[in-house]
Amino acid sequence: MNSSEIRKRYLAFFEKRGHAVIPSASLVPENDPSVLFNTAGMQPLVPYLLGQKHPAGAHLVDAQKCIRTIDIEDVGDNRHLTFFEMLGNWSLGSYFKKEAIEWSYEFLTSKEEGLGLDPNRLYVTVFKGEEGIPRDEDSIKIWTDVFARNNVTNGLAGDDGIITKGVRIVPLGKDDNFWIAGTTGPCGGDTEMFYDTRPEDGNIEETNVPFEDLIKSFRIMEIWNNVFMEFNKNAEGKYEKLLSPNVDTGMGLERTTAVINGKTTVFDTDLFIPILLKISELIGDESESSQTPQAKDRAKRIVADHLRTSVFLIADGVLPSNTDQGYILRRLLRRAVRLSDVLKMKKSSLFWLADVVIDIYKDVYPELLRQKETIKVEIDKEEQKFRRTLVHGVKEFEQMVAVNKKNSIKIISGHQAFKLFSSYGFPIEITEELAKESDLTVNKAEFDHEMKEHQDLSRKGAEKKFKGGLSGTGVMETKYHTTTHLLNAALKSVLGNHVSQKGSNITSERLRFDFSHGDKMTDSQKKAVEDFVNEKIKESLDVTFSEMPKTEAQEMGAIGVFDDKYGDIVKVYQIGKDQTSNKIPVSMELCGGPHVNNTNELGHFKITKEEAVAQGVRRIKAILE
Ligand code: SER
């Protein structure tokens, strides 16, 4: 069963059982600058997991694009990836453990509608209870019944976590069976499903090995996680009971595809084989490379992974840059460029891989096809850009190695690594990789220190500049700040509700506002936006704020950055809030302030520029006259 069939079956299975199929959200969180990417299927749904109503209802199913860079060092082994798809079904305060577990079992084992897995090769873990949260007896009972009904052994493992004869359910602690994204937010115990990938290695019930070791040796692979979200962990670290609990499930598509096809690596699936083949094709004569076959395979896998991730990032509006998401993209592409040289791939051929990636996903993620040209152009541009310094950087590195060797130093100092970064654009992992190839290590701590100092210096410079321009008062900044809220509201009103803030930057001279929107704005749209803002200025609307729990702000429909400090008290600024009537304010936005007291302080608003900054992201510069 290939990956498309698995994805299709998953969505259809849950749709048939009353779930609305929702599209994947962008990889870049829309209103949350505290994380760079969606790292799990639940992230874009957090407001709904905390009680806000989802427009599609209480039962949802989706395939969500995710990026995790935390494991980037491990990419190239059999299962780590920077981009993956997570299949998930969701109960927003509706069904709970029984339905979730029963459907999981049915989907995993049904030949007609599901994956058709052998239930005798399935093992599940449940939360054994810790830190005042009790053992998940409900899930144990439900699993026991489900297995018994299907004539599958259903014993419960003891504290040693060993699968002995008849054992199928293993209680594990918080590290394994409690799920939270980061440190705060909706969370709860979970039950995870594993599959025995190598029954030919002998009866698992006789191996006498703890469950954790079976995972480490890939004898069993996790394929699905059902989280039973009962709590919201607040900023003080307290678990507050959610009003109504949710179900958040996640099945990694790449791993599942590997497991059910009897493959030991995700790179051996239909999601990667065509990319790896194309890489080999672009290498030409493989015998030219001096690497060992293992090193070659690893490099090919990294190039395939990084290119795939880059394609999805660019399609979601990220472009290579030196900050935030853009810098992650730059690092992925630059590492791929260098490895393509190591592999002796044809120069400037990486963008051809984009065609292959797009071909694999074009039916599921049509944005890839729509932005094919941009994707290819941006990949090639970044390759060209890096090539301008790459050769010189490698030369400089070789000189460093020679000097160090002469002095019997086996370490590239942080200072040397920083020089490669600042003069040749080498992200740290490239220097680390080069060092490893010469049997050296890099003093990463020292590099981080230099980097931080460099950033502090540039920040100080910026602050100084900022203060100078402010003439001590910040009046203009404050005005532009309030104007930005009005502009945000105006854009939503004129262009539609898809508009969301992607960035904002204010000086005493102007405001700059980035927002999601596909097309160039027409002159009449720009005029309508200006008119909207100027009208609100003329209406002399009061700007007020109130403090309230974040959930309340969400229910009220305030827009803005709902970061991971849920349960916090937030400040909501409202423009044109009418105490006497129920009139909806022009703008309600989570914000720290400060703002002017009344819109009549603002002057006349004028757009000076409207342009694209990335695919699907427009930028407006505007002034107050
Ligand atoms: N949130 C859980 C995970 O990411 C289940 O979706 O594993």
Side-chain angles (χ1 to χ4, degrees):
M1 198 183 291
N2 66 22
S3 60
S4 312
E5 180 66 19
I6 296 172
R7 196 192 293 104
K8 210 166 85 194
R9 282 186 174 222
Y10 191 95
L11 299 175
F13 180 91
F14 285 100
E15 189 176 27
K16 197 172 153 196
R17 285 156 185 81
H19 293 64
V21 181
I22 57 166
S24 171
S26 162
L27 282 166
V28 181
E30 296 221 331
N31 281 313
D32 185 353
S34 68
V35 284
L36 290 180
F37 302 112
N38 285 319
T39 58
M42 52 81 72
Q43 237 143 12
L45 292 170
V46 165
Y48 311 104
L49 294 167
L50 289 173
Q52 203 173 301
K53 290 248 168 316
H54 193 286
H59 300 178
L60 311 173
V61 61
D62 64 0
Q64 172 64 44
K65 303 179 276 187
C66 300
I67 285 190
R68 280 185 199 172
T69 48
I70 180 134
D71 296 325
I72 194 160
E73 306 279 323
D74 295 321
V75 173
D77 70 1
N78 67 341
R79 66 194 199 291
H80 283 97
L81 299 167
T82 52
F83 169 91
F84 62 96
E85 278 175 272
M86 205 167 224
L87 305 172
N89 54 290
W90 311 87
S91 160
L92 303 173
S94 180
Y95 66 81
F96 206 40
K97 295 177 184 176
K98 187 166 153 49
E99 292 87 337
I101 290 177
E102 288 180 349
W103 280 330
S104 287
Y105 181 87
E106 198 184 341
F107 182 72
L108 289 172
T109 58
S110 160
K111 286 201 173 62
E112 296 72 38
E113 288 184 89
L115 303 182
L117 297 181
D118 176 359
N120 293 298
R121 285 166 65 182
L122 275 180
Y123 295 90
V124 303
T125 59
V126 294
F127 182 46
K128 80 169 179 192
E130 251 169 30
E131 292 183 17
I133 306 172
R135 185 160 97 158
D136 187 357
E137 301 297 344
D138 296 340
S139 293
I140 294 175
K141 168 100 183 38
I142 298 163
W143 276 121
T144 310
D145 292 350
V146 170
F147 285 126
R149 270 208 305 279
N150 291 282
N151 298 320
V152 184
T153 54
N154 48 61
L156 186 65
D159 275 348
D160 56 9
I162 293 179
I163 299 174
T164 50
K165 202 163 169 36
V167 163
R168 197 156 301 280
I169 305 166
V170 185
L172 294 176
K174 232 174 148 201
D175 286 349
D176 295 289
N177 284 74
F178 191 91
W179 206 91
I180 183 163
T183 48
T184 56
C187 55
D190 66 45
T191 177
E192 300 182 11
M193 289 147 260
F194 294 77
Y195 201 55
D196 180 1
T197 59
R198 298 193 302 266
E200 65 277 9
D201 282 7
N203 190 343
I204 209 166
E205 296 174 357
E206 287 163 12
T207 51
N208 213 22
V209 183
F211 203 75
E212 264 100 345
D213 293 354
L214 292 170
I215 299 176
K216 276 190 209 119
S217 65
F218 308 118
R219 171 69 197 258
I220 53 170
M221 286 260 262
E222 187 204 327
I223 44 181
W224 204 352
N225 183 8
N226 286 5
V227 185
F228 302 122
M229 292 185 158
E230 293 181 76
F231 307 101
N232 175 39
K233 191 174 179 190
N234 69 19
E236 286 90 53
K238 291 222 168 59
Y239 294 99
E240 301 160 346
K241 200 104 182 144
L242 289 174
L243 280 179
S244 41
N246 312 294
V247 176
D248 149 22
T249 92
M251 175 186 273
L253 179 65
E254 292 79 359
R255 277 190 202 188
T256 305
T257 307
V259 168
I260 74 166
N261 287 294
K263 305 293 182 199
T264 47
T265 151
V266 292
F267 294 100
D268 240 347
T269 64
D270 62 309
L271 293 170
F272 277 100
I273 292 170
I275 313 176
L276 292 166
L277 278 175
K278 186 76 188 177
I279 292 174
S280 294
E281 188 191 317
L282 293 168
I283 289 174
D285 185 359
E286 298 237 3
S287 64
E288 274 184 31
S289 142
S290 55
Q291 290 185 299
T292 63
Q294 289 87 337
K296 220 190 277 184
D297 275 349
R298 187 171 165 275
K300 284 183 191 172
R301 287 172 172 189
I302 296 174
V303 172
D305 169 86
H306 287 13
L307 255 293
R308 188 174 79 127
T309 306
S310 300
V311 166
F312 275 95
L313 276 174
I314 298 169
D316 274 346
V318 179
L319 294 179
S321 76
N322 285 331
T323 52
D324 301 333
Q325 288 93 349
Y327 191 50
I328 304 281
L329 173 61
R330 169 158 284 167
R331 288 161 79 162
L332 293 170
L333 283 172
R334 291 191 169 193
R335 189 163 176 228
V337 171
R338 208 210 49 104
L339 286 174
S340 78
D341 281 356
V342 174
L343 283 165
K344 304 266 187 280
M345 280 171 73
K346 289 197 185 73
K347 299 238 186 306
S348 300
S349 63
L350 281 180
F351 74 95
W352 290 115
L353 297 176
D355 281 329
V356 184
V357 176
I358 294 168
D359 209 44
I360 295 172
Y361 290 100
K362 60 180 186 301
D363 296 330
V364 191
Y365 299 108
E367 65 270 26
L368 299 186
L369 207 50
R370 276 200 303 271
Q371 294 180 50
K372 191 170 178 161
E373 275 324 294
T374 311
I375 293 168
K376 290 169 75 173
V377 166
E378 288 300 329
I379 291 173
D380 196 43
K381 249 169 53 187
E382 184 61 18
E383 172 157 3
Q384 303 305 338
K385 190 165 187 176
F386 189 40
R387 286 207 177 280
R388 288 204 283 272
T389 56
L390 175 59
V391 179
H392 305 291
V394 171
K395 269 209 191 98
E396 171 89 32
F397 174 82
E398 281 161 2
Q399 272 162 15
M400 287 173 182
V401 173
V403 172
N404 288 12
K405 282 219 165 126
K406 219 159 70 205
N407 298 315
S408 303
I409 299 170
K410 299 212 74 176
I411 296 177
I412 297 292
S413 72
H415 185 67
Q416 289 173 318
F418 185 75
K419 170 134 199 241
L420 293 172
F421 161 79
S422 56
S423 310
Y424 304 98
F426 279 27
I428 185 68
E429 52 276 359
I430 290 190
T431 304
E432 284 179 320
E433 232 155 41
L434 279 165
K436 208 159 155 199
E437 286 162 19
S438 304
D439 280 325
L440 300 174
T441 54
V442 178
N443 188 336
K444 178 97 186 324
E446 197 178 85
F447 171 82
D448 289 342
H449 182 75
E450 287 237 359
M451 191 75 178
K452 200 164 174 321
E453 237 166 43
H454 164 78
Q455 281 162 345
D456 285 351
L457 275 178
S458 34
R459 196 168 304 133
K460 270 209 191 91
E463 269 165 27
K464 225 159 121 191
K465 248 190 358 223
F466 189 65
K467 279 201 186 115
L470 263 181
S471 43
T473 62
V475 174
M476 275 320 287
E477 275 85 354
T478 309
K479 285 187 184 178
Y480 277 122
H481 196 169
T482 308
T483 311
T484 301
H485 282 215
L486 284 178
L487 171 61
N488 199 344
L491 289 167
K492 276 197 185 12
S493 155
V494 173
L495 301 176
N497 252 328
H498 61 279
V499 168
S500 75
Q501 175 167 347
K502 292 287 176 195
S504 160
N505 173 282
I506 289 168
T507 71
S508 55
E509 320 282 325
R510 55 117 182 96
L511 68 81
R512 196 180 81 197
F513 187 72
D514 297 346
F515 58 100
S516 51
H517 182 62
D519 306 321
K520 187 172 170 52
M521 284 173 72
T522 62
D523 285 345
S524 68
Q525 283 171 333
K526 281 189 271 188
K527 171 94 176 25
V529 167
E530 284 177 341
D531 288 350
F532 182 104
V533 174
N534 284 319
E535 229 165 76
K536 301 305 161 197
I537 292 175
K538 269 207 209 105
E539 283 173 24
S540 297
L541 302 172
D542 280 337
V543 184
T544 55
F545 74 85
S546 31
E547 288 179 312
M548 62 186 83
K550 190 163 282 179
T551 43
E552 203 174 297
Q554 283 171 321
E555 270 157 28
M556 217 168 77
I559 60 168
V561 176
F562 288 91
D563 61 19
D564 57 359
K565 290 185 231 110
Y566 306 107
D568 272 357
I569 300 296
V570 294
K571 215 163 160 183
V572 177
Y573 271 91
Q574 309 199 35
I575 303 179
K577 181 177 165 191
D578 195 332
Q579 307 286 3
T580 49
S581 76
N582 278 335
K583 216 175 84 190
I584 300 169
V586 178
S587 152
M588 276 193 283
E589 212 173 309
L590 249 69
C591 178
H595 284 278
V596 299
N597 294 321
N598 189 291
T599 57
N600 63 15
E601 294 167 41
L602 297 177
H604 185 258
F605 171 78
K606 189 171 160 215
I607 294 176
T608 53
K609 197 162 195 169
E610 192 276 338
E611 61 188 344
V613 261
Q615 204 64 32
V617 182
R618 310 290 307 176
R619 167 170 292 177
I620 279 183
K621 286 189 184 159
I623 54 168
L624 290 169
E625 298 172 313

